[in-house]
Amino acid sequence: MIEIFDQARLNKSKRAFTTRRVPIQEMRALETGPVTPAAGDLVLARVKQVGRLQRLELTTGRKAAIFPGDEVVVVYGNRYAPDAYEAEVPDDLSDCDLAAGGGIASLVLNSNVVWESKGSPTRLCPIGLITDSEGRPINLKRYALPIRPLLNRRVPVIAVCGATMNSGKTTTVAGIVRGLTQKGMRVGAAKITGTGSGNDYWKFVDSGAVHTLDFTDAGMATTYLADIDHVVKGAEAVVAELILRGCNAIILEIADGVHQRETHALLSHPRMQALADRWVYAADSAASAAVGCQVMSGCGLSVTAISGLLTASPLAMREAAGLVRARFCALPELTEGSAPLAWIESVSRLSAYA
């Protein structure tokens, strides 16, 4: 059943960060009958119960408080987050959960115990899939960046991956961006896998990136359970776009840990290996540094530098030095002033770009 959208109702709704590429004027109707949603479909939902996630990140980046009864425009997607939720797109429009504050509607299957101790998932009551004027469900892939040839492969690309969530990948990317920016380079930054959210996106902007993109710009709300060739094409599209916009250095973040499905598949994919010139690994311990370097070596990749939470501890770096041979890049201090000169020099020499 198709129900014509009241534009005043739509304007009043809270539209999530993940929907930012979809023009509001193209959201024309709702499909409310029996329907099976797909990853990337936009849905109008009513907040039924506020739980662990109490704010929704809007298209502007502002994190808005949500209340029972609020209507929100979010996107269906799967989520893989060992520190938070495992969630999958449901089979119908029955009640589901807000699986990420960036605007992911999904059915939570498992929760991290510590995360869950601070509240149950925020519950959503889907009202209908958002469609265009012809009644076709609107999916993010319709608004993806075009597939372009990589025009200038002289532009260096550094990829940052890591041991797990919260191992220091995003801070590492921000530090590299800041260091190379202070060297006078026009740096582009992008997160090419993960769950749709603006947290990392805005950190890259704040660190000095002249252009910032992520996988939602490539038409994916999340990359968990996505076809790996689609993920690789998205990464290529993002890099091509950043080159087209005049960036002369590009830093990529790959979410989650090296054992995660999409991450490991990316590390092993020939086109992804050809896309990145250097690899930086963010570790949270000496053991994870050793295992991570082994995994990457098994994929045919060489780690240029190790960063992450590990580098906050001289003892941990000493332990790691006995296990792996790599240059260490200490996490930058981004709260006051610029990153340490040693960090800037180290990063600038990764591929002799300085």
Side-chain angles (χ1 to χ4, degrees):
M1 178 179 176
I2 300 296
E3 174 186 327
I4 301 302
F5 229 147
D6 179 346
Q7 286 299 307
R9 179 185 184 184
L10 180 59
N11 291 334
K12 188 178 178 181
S13 68
K14 294 174 179 176
R15 291 179 291 121
F17 174 83
T18 47
T19 72
R20 70 192 189 285
R21 288 184 66 88
V22 182
I24 190 171
Q25 63 269 21
E26 295 190 20
M27 304 179 193
R28 304 298 294 275
L30 292 175
E31 185 173 358
T32 59
V35 62
T36 300
D41 282 347
L42 270 64
V43 59
L44 178 70
R46 183 177 297 108
V47 177
K48 187 173 184 178
Q49 178 181 345
V50 178
R52 178 66 174 83
L53 296 174
Q54 301 178 1
R55 293 181 179 273
L56 181 71
E57 186 176 14
L58 306 181
T59 55
T60 59
R62 186 174 75 84
K63 294 183 178 180
I66 51 176
F67 301 90
D70 279 354
E71 290 189 352
V72 297
V73 178
V74 292
V75 183
Y76 279 109
N78 304 299
R79 186 175 189 192
Y80 176 98
D83 288 358
Y85 297 133
E86 176 191 9
E88 294 186 5
V89 175
D91 295 328
D92 53 33
L93 295 182
S94 57
D95 289 359
C96 61
D97 305 297
L98 181 64
I104 300 298
S106 196
L107 192 61
V108 170
L109 306 178
N110 293 295
S111 301
N112 179 287
V113 173
V114 176
W115 178 269
E116 191 174 22
S117 69
K118 298 179 181 179
S120 57
T122 291
R123 294 292 284 174
L124 300 176
C125 176
I127 299 168
L129 295 184
I130 297 177
T131 73
D132 59 18
S133 58
E134 297 180 4
R136 298 174 300 176
I138 293 178
N139 191 286
L140 291 187
K141 62 185 178 183
R142 190 189 304 186
Y143 302 91
L145 291 167
I147 303 298
R148 293 190 177 99
L150 294 174
L151 300 177
N152 181 6
R153 280 304 286 121
R154 295 181 61 188
V155 174
V157 177
I158 300 173
V160 177
C161 60
T164 184
M165 284 185 69
N166 301 319
S167 60
K169 298 183 296 295
T170 301
T171 304
T172 296
V173 172
I176 296 175
V177 170
R178 190 164 177 82
L180 294 182
T181 296
Q182 291 185 347
K183 285 291 185 180
M185 303 189 77
R186 290 176 50 83
V187 186
K191 188 170 184 177
I192 59 173
T193 66
T195 300
S197 169
N199 288 338
D200 299 344
Y201 179 100
W202 297 116
K203 189 163 187 176
F204 298 163
V205 172
D206 293 342
S207 66
V210 293
H211 294 290
T212 301
L213 298 170
D214 70 5
F215 50 88
T216 62
D217 293 295
M220 295 170 281
T222 72
T223 56
Y224 179 44
L225 301 181
D227 177 77
I228 195 61
D229 283 333
H230 188 194
V231 177
V232 173
K233 288 179 182 177
E236 292 172 333
V238 163
V239 169
E241 179 69 18
L242 291 174
I243 292 174
L244 186 66
R245 294 185 186 185
C247 298
N248 55 23
I250 295 171
I251 318 300
L252 304 178
E253 178 183 347
I254 299 174
D256 303 308
V258 292
H259 292 291
Q260 195 269 349
R261 173 185 177 269
E262 286 76 30
T263 300
H264 193 270
L266 273 179
L267 297 178
S268 306
H269 200 289
R271 295 211 324 260
M272 184 64 217
Q273 293 182 353
L275 191 63
D277 301 298
R278 293 292 186 272
W279 293 82
V280 176
Y281 184 80
D284 55 357
S285 68
S288 71
V291 171
C293 287
Q294 283 184 336
V295 171
M296 296 187 71
S297 178
C299 295
L301 297 171
S302 175
V303 175
T304 301
I306 294 176
S307 187
L309 291 176
L310 164 76
T311 62
S313 168
L315 287 177
M317 286 194 290
R318 191 186 308 165
E319 288 180 4
L323 299 172
V324 298
R325 298 181 63 185
R327 176 182 297 150
F328 290 91
C329 295
L331 286 176
E333 294 292 334
L334 295 178
T335 54
E336 294 290 341
S338 62
L341 180 61
W343 164 266
I344 297 171
E345 294 294 339
S346 180
V347 170
S348 296
R349 290 196 304 268
L350 283 176
S351 289
Y353 300 149

